[in-house]
Amino acid sequence: GEEFGLILCGNDLHSAIVTGERLRQAIGQSPFATRGGEVSATISAGVAQYDVSVHRTPLELIAAADARLYEAKRSGRNRVCPQS
């Protein structure tokens, strides 16, 4: 699977989770055509919020979101997994 990042400026953690869930649902409800017919896609999403006391660099924030992504994949896929 492919990975991409989405940066939401000015949102709190709850809003980012809601956005991730809306994205997950929209993708799941939008089948696409393949040679073998229509296929529905799923996504797993990791959500992290920047905190200056925790993340010293942007790369640390990305690592936190990436860790949550892999937690979503390990716990069954097709879900949004926020930081705790």
Coordinates of all heavy atoms in Angstrom, one line a residue:
G1 N 0.8 -1.2 0.0 CA 0.0 0.0 0.0 C 0.8 1.2 0.0 O 2.0 1.2 0.4
E2 N 0.3 2.3 -0.5 CA 0.9 3.6 -0.5 C 0.7 4.3 0.8 O -0.3 4.1 1.5 CB 0.4 4.4 -1.7 CG 0.7 3.8 -3.0 CD 2.1 3.6 -3.3 OE1 2.9 4.5 -3.0 OE2 2.5 2.5 -3.9
E3 N 1.5 5.3 1.1 CA 1.4 6.1 2.3 C 1.4 7.6 1.9 O 2.1 7.9 0.9 CB 2.5 5.9 3.3 CG 2.4 4.5 4.0 CD 3.5 4.3 5.0 OE1 4.0 5.4 5.5 OE2 3.7 3.2 5.4
F4 N 0.6 8.4 2.5 CA 0.7 9.8 2.3 C 0.4 10.5 3.6 O -0.1 9.9 4.6 CB -0.3 10.3 1.2 CG -1.7 10.2 1.6 CD1 -2.4 11.2 2.2 CD2 -2.4 9.0 1.4 CE1 -3.8 11.1 2.5 CE2 -3.8 8.9 1.7 CZ -4.4 9.9 2.3
G5 N 0.8 11.8 3.7 CA 0.6 12.5 4.9 C -0.4 13.7 4.7 O -0.5 14.2 3.6
L6 N -1.2 14.0 5.7 CA -2.1 15.1 5.6 C -1.9 16.0 6.8 O -1.9 15.5 8.0 CB -3.5 14.6 5.7 CG -4.7 15.6 5.6 CD1 -4.7 16.4 4.4 CD2 -6.0 14.8 5.8
I7 N -1.5 17.2 6.6 CA -1.2 18.2 7.7 C -2.4 19.1 7.8 O -2.8 19.8 6.9 CB 0.1 18.9 7.5 CG1 1.2 18.0 7.4 CG2 0.3 20.0 8.5 CD1 2.5 18.6 6.9
L8 N -3.0 19.1 9.0 CA -4.2 20.0 9.3 C -3.7 21.1 10.2 O -3.3 20.8 11.4 CB -5.3 19.2 9.9 CG -5.8 18.0 9.1 CD1 -6.8 17.2 9.9 CD2 -6.4 18.5 7.8
C9 N -3.7 22.3 9.8 CA -3.3 23.5 10.6 C -4.4 24.1 11.4 O -5.5 24.2 10.8 CB -2.6 24.5 9.7 SG -1.2 24.0 8.9
G10 N -4.2 24.3 12.6 CA -5.2 25.0 13.5 C -6.3 24.1 14.0 O -7.3 24.5 14.4
N11 N -6.1 22.8 13.9 CA -7.1 21.8 14.4 C -6.6 21.2 15.7 O -5.4 21.0 15.9 CB -7.3 20.7 13.4 CG -8.1 21.1 12.2 OD1 -8.0 22.3 11.8 ND2 -8.8 20.2 11.5
D12 N -7.5 20.8 16.5 CA -7.2 20.0 17.7 C -7.2 18.5 17.4 O -7.5 18.2 16.2 CB -8.1 20.3 18.9 CG -9.5 20.0 18.6 OD1 -9.9 19.3 17.6 OD2 -10.4 20.4 19.4
L13 N -6.8 17.7 18.3 CA -6.6 16.3 18.1 C -8.0 15.7 17.7 O -8.1 14.9 16.7 CB -6.1 15.6 19.3 CG -5.8 14.1 19.1 CD1 -4.8 13.8 18.0 CD2 -5.3 13.5 20.4
H14 N -9.1 16.1 18.4 CA -10.4 15.5 18.1 C -10.8 15.8 16.6 O -11.3 15.0 15.9 CB -11.4 16.1 19.1 CG -12.8 15.6 18.7 ND1 -13.3 14.4 19.0 CD2 -13.8 16.3 18.2 CE1 -14.5 14.3 18.6 NE2 -14.9 15.4 18.1
S15 N -10.6 17.1 16.2 CA -10.9 17.4 14.8 C -10.1 16.6 13.8 O -10.7 16.2 12.8 CB -10.7 18.9 14.6 OG -11.5 19.7 15.4
A16 N -8.9 16.4 14.1 CA -8.0 15.6 13.2 C -8.5 14.1 13.1 O -8.6 13.5 12.1 CB -6.6 15.6 13.6
I17 N -9.0 13.6 14.3 CA -9.5 12.2 14.3 C -10.8 12.2 13.5 O -11.0 11.3 12.7 CB -9.8 11.8 15.7 CG1 -8.4 11.7 16.5 CG2 -10.5 10.5 15.8 CD1 -8.6 11.5 18.0
V18 N -11.7 13.2 13.6 CA -12.9 13.2 12.9 C -12.6 13.3 11.4 O -13.2 12.6 10.6 CB -13.8 14.4 13.4 CG1 -15.0 14.6 12.4 CG2 -14.3 14.1 14.8
T19 N -11.7 14.1 11.0 CA -11.3 14.3 9.6 C -10.8 12.9 9.1 O -11.1 12.5 8.0 CB -10.3 15.4 9.4 OG1 -10.8 16.6 9.9 CG2 -9.8 15.5 8.0
G20 N -9.9 12.3 9.8 CA -9.4 11.0 9.4 C -10.5 10.0 9.2 O -10.5 9.2 8.3
E21 N -11.5 10.0 10.1 CA -12.6 9.0 10.0 C -13.5 9.3 8.8 O -13.9 8.4 8.1 CB -13.4 9.1 11.3 CG -14.5 8.1 11.4 CD -14.0 6.6 11.3 OE1 -12.9 6.3 11.8 OE2 -14.8 5.8 10.7
R22 N -13.7 10.6 8.6 CA -14.5 11.0 7.4 C -13.8 10.6 6.1 O -14.4 10.1 5.2 CB -14.7 12.5 7.3 CG -15.8 12.9 8.3 CD -16.0 14.4 8.2 NE -17.0 14.9 9.2 CZ -17.1 16.1 9.6 NH1 -16.4 17.1 9.1 NH2 -18.0 16.4 10.5
L23 N -12.5 10.7 6.0 CA -11.7 10.3 4.9 C -11.8 8.8 4.7 O -12.0 8.3 3.6 CB -10.3 10.8 5.1 CG -9.3 10.4 3.9 CD1 -9.7 11.1 2.6 CD2 -7.9 10.9 4.3
R24 N -11.6 8.1 5.8 CA -11.7 6.6 5.8 C -13.0 6.1 5.2 O -13.1 5.3 4.4 CB -11.5 6.0 7.2 CG -11.4 4.5 7.2 CD -11.4 4.0 8.6 NE -12.7 4.1 9.2 CZ -13.8 3.4 9.0 NH1 -13.7 2.5 8.1 NH2 -14.9 3.7 9.6
Q25 N -14.1 6.7 5.7 CA -15.5 6.4 5.3 C -15.7 6.7 3.8 O -16.2 5.9 3.0 CB -16.5 7.0 6.1 CG -16.6 6.4 7.5 CD -17.6 7.1 8.4 OE1 -18.4 7.9 8.0 NE2 -17.5 6.8 9.7
A26 N -15.2 7.9 3.4 CA -15.4 8.3 2.0 C -14.7 7.4 1.0 O -15.2 7.1 0.0 CB -15.0 9.8 1.8
I27 N -13.5 7.0 1.4 CA -12.7 6.2 0.5 C -13.4 4.8 0.4 O -13.5 4.2 -0.6 CB -11.2 6.1 1.0 CG1 -10.5 7.4 0.7 CG2 -10.5 4.9 0.3 CD1 -9.2 7.5 1.2
G28 N -13.9 4.3 1.6 CA -14.5 3.0 1.6 C -15.8 3.0 0.8 O -16.3 1.9 0.3
Q29 N -16.5 4.2 0.6 CA -17.7 4.2 -0.1 C -17.6 4.6 -1.6 O -18.5 4.8 -2.3 CB -18.7 5.3 0.6 CG -19.1 4.9 2.0 CD -19.8 6.0 2.7 OE1 -20.0 7.1 2.2 NE2 -20.2 5.7 3.9
S30 N -16.3 4.7 -2.0 CA -16.0 5.1 -3.4 C -15.3 4.0 -4.2 O -14.1 4.1 -4.3 CB -15.2 6.4 -3.4 OG -15.9 7.4 -2.7
P31 N -16.0 3.0 -4.6 CA -15.3 1.9 -5.4 C -14.7 2.5 -6.6 O -15.1 3.5 -7.2 CB -16.4 1.0 -5.7 CG -17.7 1.7 -5.5 CD -17.5 2.8 -4.6
F32 N -13.6 1.8 -7.1 CA -13.0 2.2 -8.3 C -12.8 1.0 -9.2 O -12.9 -0.1 -8.8 CB -11.6 2.9 -8.0 CG -10.7 2.0 -7.2 CD1 -9.7 1.2 -7.9 CD2 -10.7 2.0 -5.9 CE1 -8.9 0.4 -7.2 CE2 -9.8 1.2 -5.1 CZ -8.9 0.4 -5.8
A33 N -12.7 1.3 -10.5 CA -12.7 0.3 -11.5 C -11.3 -0.3 -11.7 O -10.3 0.4 -11.7 CB -13.2 0.8 -12.9
T34 N -11.3 -1.6 -11.8 CA -10.1 -2.4 -12.1 C -10.4 -3.3 -13.3 O -11.6 -3.4 -13.7 CB -9.6 -3.2 -11.0 OG1 -10.5 -4.3 -10.7 CG2 -9.4 -2.4 -9.7
R35 N -9.4 -4.0 -13.8 CA -9.7 -4.9 -14.9 C -10.7 -6.0 -14.5 O -11.4 -6.6 -15.3 CB -8.4 -5.6 -15.4 CG -7.5 -4.6 -16.1 CD -6.2 -5.2 -16.5 NE -5.2 -4.2 -16.7 CZ -3.9 -4.4 -16.7 NH1 -3.4 -5.6 -16.6 NH2 -3.1 -3.4 -16.9
G36 N -10.7 -6.4 -13.2 CA -11.5 -7.4 -12.7 C -12.9 -6.9 -12.2 O -13.7 -7.7 -11.7
G37 N -13.2 -5.7 -12.3 CA -14.4 -5.1 -11.9 C -14.2 -4.0 -10.8 O -13.0 -3.6 -10.6
E38 N -15.2 -3.6 -10.1 CA -15.1 -2.6 -9.1 C -14.6 -3.1 -7.8 O -14.9 -4.2 -7.4 CB -16.5 -1.9 -8.9 CG -16.9 -0.9 -10.0 CD -18.0 -0.1 -9.6 OE1 -18.7 -0.4 -8.6 OE2 -18.3 0.9 -10.3
V39 N -13.7 -2.3 -7.2 CA -13.1 -2.7 -5.9 C -13.3 -1.6 -4.9 O -13.1 -0.4 -5.3 CB -11.6 -3.0 -6.1 CG1 -10.9 -3.3 -4.8 CG2 -11.4 -4.1 -7.1
S40 N -13.6 -1.9 -3.7 CA -13.6 -0.9 -2.6 C -12.3 -0.8 -1.9 O -11.6 -1.8 -1.7 CB -14.7 -1.2 -1.6 OG -16.0 -1.1 -2.2
A41 N -11.8 0.4 -1.6 CA -10.5 0.5 -0.9 C -10.8 0.8 0.6 O -11.8 1.2 1.0 CB -9.8 1.7 -1.5
T42 N -9.7 0.5 1.3 CA -9.7 0.9 2.7 C -8.5 1.6 3.1 O -7.5 1.5 2.3 CB -9.8 -0.4 3.6 OG1 -8.6 -1.2 3.4 CG2 -11.1 -1.2 3.3
I43 N -8.5 2.4 4.2 CA -7.3 3.0 4.6 C -7.1 2.8 6.1 O -8.1 2.6 6.8 CB -7.2 4.5 4.3 CG1 -8.3 5.3 5.1 CG2 -7.4 4.8 2.8 CD1 -8.1 6.8 5.1
S44 N -5.9 2.8 6.6 CA -5.6 2.9 8.0 C -4.9 4.3 8.2 O -4.1 4.7 7.3 CB -4.6 1.8 8.3 OG -5.2 0.5 8.1
A45 N -5.2 4.9 9.3 CA -4.7 6.2 9.5 C -4.1 6.4 10.9 O -4.7 5.9 11.9 CB -5.7 7.3 9.3
G46 N -3.0 7.0 11.0 CA -2.4 7.4 12.3 C -2.5 8.9 12.5 O -2.2 9.6 11.6
V47 N -2.9 9.3 13.7 CA -3.1 10.7 14.0 C -2.2 11.1 15.1 O -2.2 10.5 16.2 CB -4.6 11.0 14.3 CG1 -4.8 12.5 14.6 CG2 -5.5 10.5 13.2
A48 N -1.5 12.2 14.9 CA -0.7 12.8 16.0 C -0.8 14.3 16.0 O -1.0 14.9 14.9 CB 0.8 12.4 15.9
Q49 N -0.8 14.9 17.2 CA -0.9 16.3 17.3 C 0.4 16.9 17.8 O 1.1 16.3 18.7 CB -2.0 16.7 18.3 CG -2.2 18.2 18.4 CD -3.3 18.6 19.4 OE1 -3.8 17.7 20.2 NE2 -3.8 19.8 19.3
Y50 N 0.9 18.0 17.2 CA 2.2 18.6 17.5 C 2.1 19.1 18.9 O 1.2 19.8 19.3 CB 2.5 19.7 16.5 CG 3.9 20.3 16.8 CD1 5.0 19.6 16.6 CD2 4.0 21.6 17.3 CE1 6.3 20.1 16.9 CE2 5.2 22.1 17.6 CZ 6.3 21.4 17.4 OH 7.6 22.0 17.7
D51 N 3.1 18.8 19.7 CA 3.2 19.3 21.1 C 4.7 19.7 21.3 O 5.5 18.8 21.3 CB 2.8 18.2 22.1 CG 2.9 18.6 23.5 OD1 3.6 19.6 23.9 OD2 2.2 17.9 24.4
V52 N 4.9 20.9 21.5 CA 6.3 21.4 21.7 C 7.1 20.7 22.8 O 8.3 20.7 22.8 CB 6.4 22.9 21.8 CG1 5.9 23.6 20.5 CG2 5.6 23.4 23.0
S53 N 6.4 20.3 23.8 CA 7.0 19.6 24.9 C 7.4 18.2 24.6 O 8.2 17.6 25.4 CB 6.2 19.7 26.2 OG 5.0 18.9 26.0
V54 N 6.9 17.6 23.6 CA 7.1 16.2 23.2 C 7.9 16.1 21.9 O 8.9 15.4 21.8 CB 5.8 15.5 23.0 CG1 6.0 14.0 22.5 CG2 5.0 15.5 24.3
H55 N 7.5 16.9 20.9 CA 8.1 16.8 19.6 C 9.1 18.0 19.4 O 8.7 19.1 19.3 CB 7.1 16.9 18.5 CG 6.0 15.9 18.7 ND1 4.7 16.3 19.1 CD2 6.0 14.5 18.6 CE1 4.0 15.2 19.2 NE2 4.7 14.1 18.9
R56 N 10.4 17.7 19.4 CA 11.4 18.7 19.3 C 11.6 19.1 17.8 O 12.1 20.2 17.5 CB 12.7 18.3 19.9 CG 12.6 18.1 21.4 CD 13.9 17.6 21.9 NE 14.2 16.3 21.3 CZ 14.7 15.3 21.9 NH1 15.0 15.3 23.1 NH2 14.8 14.1 21.3
T57 N 11.3 18.2 16.9 CA 11.4 18.5 15.5 C 10.2 18.0 14.7 O 9.5 17.1 15.2 CB 12.7 17.7 14.9 OG1 12.4 16.3 14.9 CG2 13.9 18.1 15.7
P58 N 10.0 18.5 13.5 CA 8.9 18.0 12.7 C 9.0 16.5 12.4 O 8.0 15.7 12.4 CB 9.0 18.7 11.4 CG 9.7 20.0 11.8 CD 10.6 19.7 12.9
L59 N 10.3 16.0 12.3 CA 10.4 14.5 12.1 C 9.9 13.7 13.3 O 9.5 12.6 13.1 CB 11.9 14.2 11.8 CG 12.5 14.7 10.5 CD1 14.0 14.4 10.4 CD2 11.7 14.1 9.3
E60 N 10.0 14.2 14.5 CA 9.5 13.5 15.6 C 7.9 13.4 15.6 O 7.3 12.4 16.0 CB 9.9 14.1 16.9 CG 11.4 13.9 17.2 CD 11.8 14.5 18.5 OE1 11.0 15.2 19.2 OE2 13.0 14.3 18.9
L61 N 7.3 14.5 15.1 CA 5.8 14.4 14.9 C 5.5 13.4 13.8 O 4.5 12.6 14.0 CB 5.3 15.8 14.5 CG 3.8 15.9 14.1 CD1 3.0 15.5 15.3 CD2 3.5 17.3 13.7
I62 N 6.2 13.4 12.7 CA 6.0 12.4 11.7 C 6.1 11.0 12.2 O 5.3 10.1 11.9 CB 6.9 12.7 10.4 CG1 6.5 14.0 9.8 CG2 6.8 11.5 9.5 CD1 7.5 14.5 8.8
A63 N 7.2 10.8 13.0 CA 7.4 9.5 13.6 C 6.3 9.0 14.5 O 5.9 7.9 14.5 CB 8.7 9.4 14.3
A64 N 5.7 10.0 15.2 CA 4.6 9.7 16.1 C 3.3 9.3 15.3 O 2.7 8.3 15.6 CB 4.3 10.9 17.0
A65 N 3.1 10.0 14.2 CA 1.9 9.7 13.4 C 2.2 8.3 12.7 O 1.3 7.5 12.6 CB 1.7 10.8 12.3
D66 N 3.4 8.1 12.3 CA 3.7 6.8 11.6 C 3.6 5.6 12.6 O 3.0 4.6 12.2 CB 5.2 6.9 11.1 CG 5.5 5.8 10.1 OD1 4.7 5.6 9.1 OD2 6.5 5.1 10.2
A67 N 3.9 5.8 13.8 CA 3.8 4.8 14.9 C 2.3 4.5 15.0 O 1.9 3.3 15.2 CB 4.4 5.2 16.2
R68 N 1.4 5.5 15.0 CA 0.0 5.3 15.2 C -0.6 4.6 13.9 O -1.5 3.8 14.0 CB -0.7 6.6 15.4 CG -0.3 7.4 16.6 CD 0.0 6.5 17.9 NE -1.2 5.8 18.3 CZ -1.1 4.7 19.1 NH1 0.1 4.2 19.5 NH2 -2.2 4.0 19.4
L69 N 0.0 4.9 12.7 CA -0.4 4.2 11.5 C -0.2 2.7 11.6 O -1.1 1.9 11.3 CB 0.3 4.8 10.3 CG 0.2 4.0 9.0 CD1 -1.3 3.9 8.5 CD2 1.1 4.6 7.9
Y70 N 1.0 2.3 12.1 CA 1.3 0.9 12.2 C 0.5 0.3 13.3 O 0.2 -0.9 13.2 CB 2.8 0.7 12.3 CG 3.4 0.9 10.9 CD1 3.9 2.1 10.5 CD2 3.4 -0.1 10.0 CE1 4.4 2.3 9.2 CE2 3.9 0.0 8.7 CZ 4.4 1.3 8.3 OH 4.9 1.4 7.1
E71 N 0.2 1.0 14.3 CA -0.7 0.5 15.3 C -2.1 0.2 14.7 O -2.7 -0.9 15.0 CB -0.9 1.4 16.5 CG -1.8 1.0 17.6 CD -1.4 -0.3 18.3 OE1 -0.2 -0.6 18.3 OE2 -2.3 -1.1 18.7
A72 N -2.6 1.1 13.9 CA -3.9 0.8 13.2 C -3.8 -0.4 12.3 O -4.8 -1.2 12.3 CB -4.3 2.1 12.4
K73 N -2.7 -0.6 11.6 CA -2.6 -1.8 10.8 C -2.5 -3.0 11.6 O -3.1 -4.1 11.3 CB -1.3 -1.6 9.9 CG -1.4 -0.6 8.8 CD -0.2 -0.5 8.0 CE -0.3 0.5 6.9 NZ 0.9 0.5 6.0
R74 N -1.8 -3.0 12.7 CA -1.7 -4.2 13.6 C -3.0 -4.6 14.2 O -3.2 -5.7 14.5 CB -0.6 -4.0 14.7 CG 0.8 -4.1 14.2 CD 1.8 -4.2 15.4 NE 1.7 -3.0 16.2 CZ 2.4 -1.9 16.0 NH1 3.2 -1.8 15.0 NH2 2.3 -0.8 16.8
S75 N -3.8 -3.6 14.5 CA -5.1 -3.8 15.2 C -6.3 -4.1 14.3 O -7.4 -4.0 14.7 CB -5.4 -2.7 16.2 OG -5.5 -1.5 15.5
G76 N -6.0 -4.4 13.0 CA -7.1 -4.8 12.1 C -7.3 -4.1 10.9 O -8.1 -4.4 10.0
R77 N -6.5 -3.0 10.7 CA -6.6 -2.2 9.4 C -8.0 -1.5 9.3 O -8.9 -1.7 10.1 CB -6.3 -3.0 8.2 CG -4.9 -3.6 8.2 CD -4.6 -4.4 6.9 NE -3.3 -4.9 6.9 CZ -2.2 -4.3 6.5 NH1 -2.3 -3.1 5.9 NH2 -1.0 -4.9 6.5
N78 N -8.1 -0.6 8.3 CA -9.3 0.1 8.0 C -9.8 0.8 9.3 O -11.0 0.7 9.6 CB -10.4 -0.8 7.4 CG -11.5 0.1 6.8 OD1 -11.2 1.2 6.3 ND2 -12.7 -0.5 6.8
R79 N -8.9 1.6 9.9 CA -9.3 2.3 11.1 C -8.4 3.5 11.3 O -7.3 3.6 10.7 CB -9.2 1.4 12.4 CG -7.9 0.9 12.7 CD -7.9 -0.2 13.8 NE -8.5 -1.4 13.2 CZ -9.4 -2.1 13.9 NH1 -9.8 -1.8 15.1 NH2 -10.0 -3.1 13.3
V80 N -8.8 4.4 12.2 CA -8.1 5.6 12.5 C -7.6 5.4 13.9 O -8.3 5.1 14.8 CB -9.0 6.9 12.4 CG1 -8.2 8.1 12.9 CG2 -9.5 7.1 11.0
C81 N -6.3 5.6 14.1 CA -5.6 5.3 15.4 C -4.9 6.6 15.9 O -3.9 7.0 15.3 CB -4.7 4.2 15.3 SG -4.0 3.6 16.9
P82 N -5.5 7.3 16.9 CA -4.9 8.5 17.4 C -3.8 8.3 18.4 O -3.8 7.2 19.0 CB -6.0 9.3 18.0 CG -7.0 8.2 18.5 CD -6.8 7.0 17.5
Q83 N -3.0 9.3 18.6 CA -2.0 9.2 19.7 C -2.8 9.1 21.0 O -3.9 9.6 21.2 CB -1.1 10.4 19.7 CG -1.7 11.7 20.1 CD -0.8 12.9 20.0 OE1 0.0 12.9 19.1 NE2 -1.0 13.8 20.9
S84 N -2.1 8.4 22.0 CA -2.8 8.3 23.3 C -2.5 9.5 24.2 O -1.6 10.2 24.0 CB -2.4 7.0 24.0 OG -1.1 6.7 23.8

